[in-house]
């Protein structure tokens, strides 16, 4: 009966909208009929203590019984009950689409292992919060536990296999994942919302159900008891599960899933959140010349100088009025970092490094207050606004008093407009201030652009683009006010009184007029990579403006795109000279430098021959220019003026006429090339490399220097 009562409680919580302490675990009661192991080893039913805001996004229909519940009697013979521990988990259908494995898996094959099913969708912040918890569980039980993600998409865009593959790469997920794009398993298992997790014991029975975050605390003791019990009976299978991961065979890119970008028109600098490389790249906004790199590239929460300080998946940024201080939303560390650009020092100014675990969220002294996935920043005088995506609020950090407090939103995920404190937000992920310091934000899970009149006498939240009636009013429609439809926008930027929006899941750039509330599509359409007058993007997440140009963090293309609003043309920013920071950057993302053995060559007229070999199954992108820049030291080679140039659709090998002069010197070439998968042309990658060839020029030898570079895939 205890199990039945607990199940009724969790269903009631979900139907009425989920109370703040909605993270809840149901496990079999100790009095339940004995399974294949002794009943004394079975975990008891538990409800976890309160965790932060409602940590589950509910589906928009009421729950019905679990698989097998309709015909499964309760321990008391009551036909309305269910004993979870006595319920066999239904087998996976044979025609599912699997990722991170080269073969479908079945629950029958996994007998003897504990299996954890994670029902999730990749735009859900609470699902993202579970990823490190799942990794921790897998590390704790490496051979006893098999985690299977079941991706049941909320948004249309999320159901596409290639988009899901990119998310797997972005978050370095290493467990098998099913693309449940038609919600087949979602319906069959009657999942109440995202995230929902189901634990299956080594006999194939449902052992526990958990809704929400904090999965390590919920499942670790249960898994430990199951492992001990089945091991004692000789029924545990510790055979390692061999998997073929999606990241195998992926090439290295200069940027990795850049999330946000910030342009400073005064200093002509561009700050790029190189999110998956755990660093900030600072470049000249016009030339692309890299000026500095912030962060070692190794994930962590360490202060210090720019090269040794560590970040973890940084996102949004804000710059002080004097241009000397950069503020960074260090999302993966649940912290705000301050970068003194002159002294080249990084300091944590808000957050403890721990995810906020209280409800309702409380502020306080910034360095002593837990935060929850700060995603973007905006600065007005001494107030730093923080899009606290993880608790569906916008906070304010007073840089003078060093106090941080919730400002906008009641921490319940929703779409309600009104006074700041009682409005409901849904994962705010992009911020921008207009000339009057009024705050606009991209409310991603509500698929809306909203305004908070924080500088007004009577501050309010209003929705200016997108329906905003429920979390399921999304799409791709131009229109006025609520007639418009967006799909999980993550970025918004004010430029000359207009709002420019990175409509992420539609892979488009749109414009919203704050006065008329009219939304129009400007650029993009079918996802992919294409420059020019008809550009393509792939889930752009960040956008900023300067010099009448938009700079877009084209996240899944691992690149920064530049849209000239005057010419209505798009180009790809080539980052130059990033290799200069490779030695100091100890991280695995350091830009590539290929050094050749010394080459003996005869003085006089000769030829420089360059060959670039792409990985098997890839081709050069015919729409994006190939770029090369050559220089030399020691006066041993004279290069033609055309040596440093951009070429569209190059054919290798490329030959350049040169003149060699007696002596020794170094020839260097910086190459940038966009290349795409031959079969899936929308999947493109950006490769940059610095070639260094020592030359020994004398009277004898060949008159040709041949440099071969091969783009290699990860093992």
């Amino acid at each position: 009966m205890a199990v039945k009562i607990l199940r009724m409680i969790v269903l009631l919580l979900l139907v009425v909208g989920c109370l703040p302490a909605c993270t809840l675990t149901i496990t079999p009661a100790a009095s339940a009929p004995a399974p294949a192991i002794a009943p004394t080893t079975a975990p008891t039913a538990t409800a976890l203590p309160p965790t932060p805001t409602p940590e589950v996004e509910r589906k928009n229909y009421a729950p019905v019984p679990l698989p097998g519940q309709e015909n499964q009697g309760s321990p008391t013979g009551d036909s309305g009950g269910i004993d979870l521990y006595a319920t066999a988990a239904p087998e996976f259908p044979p025609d599912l689409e699997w990722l991170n494995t080269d073969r479908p898996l079945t629950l029958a094959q996994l007998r003897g292992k504990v299996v954890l099913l994670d029902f999730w969708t990749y735009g859900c912040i609470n699902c993202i919060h579970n990823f490190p918890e799942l990794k921790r569980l897998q590390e704790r039980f490496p051979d006893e536990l098999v985690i299977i993600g079941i991706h049941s998409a909320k948004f249309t865009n999320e159901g596409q296999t290639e988009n899901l593959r990119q998310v797997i790469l972005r978050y370095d997920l290493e467990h098998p994942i099913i693309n449940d794009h038609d919600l087949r398993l979602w319906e069959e298992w009657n999942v109440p919302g995202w995230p929902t997790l189901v634990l299956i014991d080594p006999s194939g029975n449902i052992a526990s159900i958990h809704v929400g975050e904090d999965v390590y605390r919920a499942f670790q003791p249960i898994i430990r008891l199951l492992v001990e019990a089945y091991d004692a009976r000789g029924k545990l299978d510790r055979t390692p599960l061999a998997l073929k991961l999606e990241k195998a065979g992926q090439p290295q890119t200069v940027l990795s899933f850049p999330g946000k970008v910030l342009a400073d028109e005064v200093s002509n600098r561009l700050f790029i959140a190189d999110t998956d490389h755990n660093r900030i790249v600072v470049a000249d906004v016009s030339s692309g010349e890299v000026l500095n790199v912030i962060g070692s590239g190794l994930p962590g929460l360490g202060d210090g100088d720019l090269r040794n300080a560590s970040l973890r998946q940084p996102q949004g940024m804000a710059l002080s009025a004097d241009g000397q201080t950069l503020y960074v939303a260090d999302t993966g560390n649940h912290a705000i970092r301050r970068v003194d650009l002159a002294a080249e020092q990084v300091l944590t100014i808000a957050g403890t490094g721990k995810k906020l675990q209280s409800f309702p969220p409380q502020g306080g002294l910034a360095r002593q207050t837990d935060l929850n996935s700060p995603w973007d920043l905006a600065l007005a005088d001494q107030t730093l606004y923080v899009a606290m995506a993880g608790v569906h609020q916008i906070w304010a950090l007073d840089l003078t008093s060093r106090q941080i407090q919730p400002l906008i939103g009641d921490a319940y995920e929703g779409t309600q407009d009104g006074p700041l404190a009682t409005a409901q937000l849904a994962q705010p992920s992009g911020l921008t201030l207009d000339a009057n310091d009024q705050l606009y934000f991209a409310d991603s899970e509500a698929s809306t652009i909203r305004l908070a009149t924080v500088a007004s006498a009577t501050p309010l939240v209003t929705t200016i683009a997108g329906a905003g009636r429920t979390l399921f009013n999304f799409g791709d429609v131009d229109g006025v006010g609520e007639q418009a439809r967006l799909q999980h926008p993550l970025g918004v930027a004010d430029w000359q009184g207009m709002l420019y929006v990175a409509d992420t899941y539609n892979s488009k750039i749109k414009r919203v007029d704050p006065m008329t509330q009219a939304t129009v599509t400007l650029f993009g359409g079918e996802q992919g990579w294409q420059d020019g007058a008809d550009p393509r993007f792939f889930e752009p997440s960040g956008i900023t403006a300067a010099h009448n140009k938009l700079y877009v963090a084209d996240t899944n293309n691992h690149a920064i795109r530049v849209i000239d609003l005057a010419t209505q043309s798009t180009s790809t920013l080539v980052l130059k000279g990033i290799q200069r920071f490779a030695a100091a950057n100890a991280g695995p993302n350091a830009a590539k430098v290929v050094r050749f053995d010394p080459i003996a060559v005869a003085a006089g007229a000769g030829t420089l021959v360059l060959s670039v070999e792409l990985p098997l199954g890839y081709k050069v992108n015919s729409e994006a220019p190939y770029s090369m820049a050559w220089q030399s030291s020691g006066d041993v080679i004279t290069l033609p003026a055309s040596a440093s140039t951009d070429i569209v659709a190059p054919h290798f090998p490329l030959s350049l006429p040169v003149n060699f002069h007696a002596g020794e010197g170094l020839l260097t070439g910086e190459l940038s090339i966009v290349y795409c998968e031959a079969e899936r042309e929308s999947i493109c990658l950006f490769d940059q490399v610095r070639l260094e060839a020592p030359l020994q020029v004398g009277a004898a030898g060949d008159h040709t220097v041949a440099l071969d570079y091969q783009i290699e895939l990860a093992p």
Side-chain angles (χ1 to χ4, degrees):
M1 238 359 234
V3 173
K4 179 180 178 182
I5 293 172
L6 273 172
R7 177 144 185 83
M8 290 174 63
I9 290 172
V10 74
L11 292 182
L12 178 61
L13 287 173
L14 293 167
V15 170
V16 301
C18 192
L19 299 179
C22 79
T23 295
L24 190 140
T25 306
I26 305 174
T27 57
S31 59
I37 58 178
T40 55
T41 64
T44 57
T46 58
L48 293 179
T51 53
T53 75
E55 291 181 340
V56 58
E57 187 170 324
R58 281 134 344 249
K59 64 183 180 184
N60 57 344
Y61 56 90
V64 294
L66 276 169
Q69 180 175 353
E70 300 86 350
N71 300 315
Q72 174 69 47
S74 74
T76 62
D78 178 1
S79 61
I82 175 174
D83 173 15
L84 295 177
Y85 208 85
T87 302
E91 187 56 86
F92 297 129
D95 55 347
L96 298 174
E97 188 171 14
W98 291 77
L99 294 95
N100 264 350
T101 174
D102 57 358
R103 66 196 184 284
L105 303 177
T106 68
L107 292 177
Q109 294 170 344
L110 298 175
R111 291 288 192 270
K113 291 185 178 294
V114 181
V115 178
L116 179 57
L117 306 182
D118 174 26
F119 288 88
W120 63 292
T121 188
Y122 73 72
C124 162
I125 189 67
N126 311 114
C127 302
I128 294 171
H129 285 164
N130 274 340
F131 293 159
E133 301 264 304
L134 293 173
K135 282 182 178 290
R136 190 178 170 196
L137 279 174
Q138 191 69 79
E139 291 169 357
R140 174 67 177 80
F141 306 100
D143 298 322
E144 300 88 353
L145 174 67
V146 174
I147 298 172
I148 298 177
I150 301 177
H151 186 266
S152 302
K154 168 187 171 180
F155 291 98
T156 306
N157 180 77
E158 293 175 333
Q160 298 180 33
T161 299
E162 188 50 49
N163 299 348
L164 177 55
R165 180 178 287 108
Q166 296 304 311
V167 169
I168 290 171
L169 296 172
R170 185 185 312 181
Y171 291 103
D172 194 26
L173 303 182
E174 296 182 323
H175 53 267
I177 291 174
I178 298 170
N179 185 4
D180 185 30
H181 54 80
D182 57 1
L183 301 183
R184 208 166 138 196
L185 294 177
W186 172 279
E187 298 281 358
E188 182 179 0
W189 283 81
N190 180 50
V191 179
W194 302 277
T196 294
L197 299 99
V198 181
L199 193 68
I200 301 170
D201 72 15
S203 293
N205 296 316
I206 297 174
S208 183
I209 298 176
H210 177 81
V211 181
E213 299 182 14
D214 210 9
V215 297
Y216 186 88
R217 184 166 61 127
F219 283 133
Q220 188 274 339
I222 304 172
I223 296 172
R224 178 178 57 81
L225 290 173
L226 288 171
V227 167
E228 291 174 355
Y230 277 87
D231 200 22
R233 297 287 299 274
K235 299 292 186 180
L236 193 67
D237 180 8
R238 284 194 170 90
T239 306
L241 183 65
L243 298 172
K244 182 180 180 182
L245 302 181
E246 299 301 321
K247 65 182 179 181
Q250 293 294 318
Q252 179 180 315
T253 54
V254 177
L255 301 176
S256 182
F257 297 103
K260 298 290 184 182
V261 64
L262 173 66
D264 179 35
E265 196 168 44
V266 175
S267 65
N268 218 39
R269 289 174 298 179
L270 187 68
F271 300 90
I272 303 165
D274 191 7
T275 304
D276 260 33
H277 281 159
N278 305 298
R279 64 181 182 178
I280 306 295
V281 175
V282 187
D284 183 279
V285 74
S286 302
S287 68
E289 185 72 26
V290 174
L291 307 174
N292 221 326
V293 172
I294 302 168
S296 69
L298 300 175
L301 181 58
D303 291 339
D305 63 79
L306 300 192
R307 302 296 174 271
N308 295 307
S310 53
L311 311 173
R312 190 186 302 271
Q313 293 194 314
Q315 289 282 349
M317 297 157 288
L319 190 66
S320 62
D322 63 5
Q324 295 301 305
T325 304
L326 181 73
Y327 299 94
V328 179
D330 195 4
T331 307
N333 280 320
H334 308 289
I336 307 298
R337 318 294 293 277
R338 183 180 68 204
V339 183
D340 186 325
L341 296 170
E344 298 194 342
Q345 292 290 315
V346 178
L347 180 68
T348 302
I349 62 170
T352 64
K354 298 179 181 178
K355 181 167 66 71
L356 184 135
Q357 293 286 335
S358 62
F359 188 91
Q362 300 291 325
L365 192 61
R367 278 295 280 119
Q368 299 174 10
T369 301
D370 294 342
L371 309 181
N372 196 320
S373 289
W375 212 273
D376 203 6
L377 304 175
L379 180 62
D381 194 18
Q382 291 299 300
T383 299
L384 186 66
Y385 297 104
V386 183
M388 206 72 74
V391 289
H392 313 297
Q393 291 180 310
I394 295 173
W395 288 34
L397 170 59
D398 188 317
L399 296 174
T400 302
S401 68
R402 301 179 182 178
Q403 295 281 325
I404 189 168
Q405 303 286 344
L407 177 68
I408 306 171
D410 65 2
Y412 287 89
E413 186 175 25
T415 60
Q416 179 176 302
D417 287 340
L420 301 189
T422 58
Q424 292 183 344
L425 316 184
Q427 208 171 305
S429 302
L431 300 177
T432 192
L433 289 162
D434 68 6
N436 299 314
D437 282 343
Q438 303 291 14
L439 186 66
Y440 293 89
F441 59 98
D443 213 19
S444 61
E445 280 295 282
S447 295
T448 56
I449 302 300
R450 304 174 77 178
L451 165 65
T453 55
V454 291
S456 302
T458 55
L460 296 171
V461 173
T462 56
T463 301
I464 64 169
R469 282 173 278 174
T470 77
L471 300 179
F472 295 86
N473 288 128
F474 58 84
D476 184 12
V477 179
D478 290 351
V480 177
E482 69 172 24
Q483 297 173 352
R485 291 291 185 273
L486 308 171
Q487 190 177 186
H488 200 82
L490 289 173
V492 59
D494 174 80
W495 177 250
Q496 297 181 346
M498 291 291 172
L499 299 177
Y500 293 89
V501 178
D503 192 6
T504 307
Y505 285 3
N506 285 323
S507 290
K508 289 184 175 182
I509 305 302
K510 297 184 178 180
R511 185 184 65 211
V512 177
D513 186 330
M515 299 299 294
T516 66
Q517 299 189 356
T519 298
V520 296
T521 298
L522 296 181
F523 308 98
E526 181 182 350
Q527 68 186 31
W529 186 329
Q530 183 170 295
D531 284 343
D534 187 20
R536 293 182 183 180
F537 307 89
F538 194 173
E539 290 195 5
S541 299
I543 188 167
T544 187
H547 303 297
N548 207 33
K549 294 179 180 179
L550 302 178
Y551 297 85
V552 179
D554 196 4
T555 304
N556 285 2
N557 277 328
H558 311 288
I560 304 302
R561 316 292 294 284
V562 185
I563 301 172
D564 190 319
L565 292 175
T567 64
Q568 299 285 292
S569 182
T570 298
S571 60
T572 299
L573 182 69
V574 175
L575 294 175
K576 303 171 184 176
I578 198 169
Q579 295 82 0
R580 291 183 290 115
F581 302 92
N585 258 26
N589 53 66
K592 289 176 287 186
V593 178
V594 175
R595 296 178 176 86
F596 294 86
D597 293 333
I599 302 172
V601 61
T607 306
L608 171 62
V609 179
L610 172 68
S611 294
V612 175
E613 185 176 346
L614 301 179
L616 185 65
Y618 288 84
K619 65 178 183 179
V620 171
N621 184 303
S622 60
E623 301 291 337
Y626 157 79
S627 172
M628 62 180 181
W630 297 94
Q631 56 185 332
S632 65
S633 64
D635 295 325
V636 294
I637 184 173
T638 301
L639 297 157
S642 60
S644 298
T645 185
D646 294 341
I647 305 173
V648 177
H651 295 282
F652 295 103
L654 294 174
S655 296
L656 293 174
V658 297
N659 281 288
F660 297 109
H661 312 287
E664 294 186 357
L666 182 69
L667 172 66
T668 62
E670 294 193 8
L671 315 180
S672 302
I673 184 169
V674 178
Y675 61 104
C676 309
E677 290 190 9
E679 293 185 4
R680 296 178 294 174
E681 295 188 10
S682 65
I683 309 306
C684 296
L685 296 156
F686 196 20
D687 187 84
Q688 286 186 262
V689 64
R690 179 186 177 93
L691 306 181
E692 296 183 350
L695 300 182
Q696 299 173 344
V697 183
D702 199 350
H703 291 274
T704 299
V705 170
L707 302 180
D708 297 329
Y709 169 59
Q710 181 173 0
I711 299 177
E712 296 181 352
L713 301 178

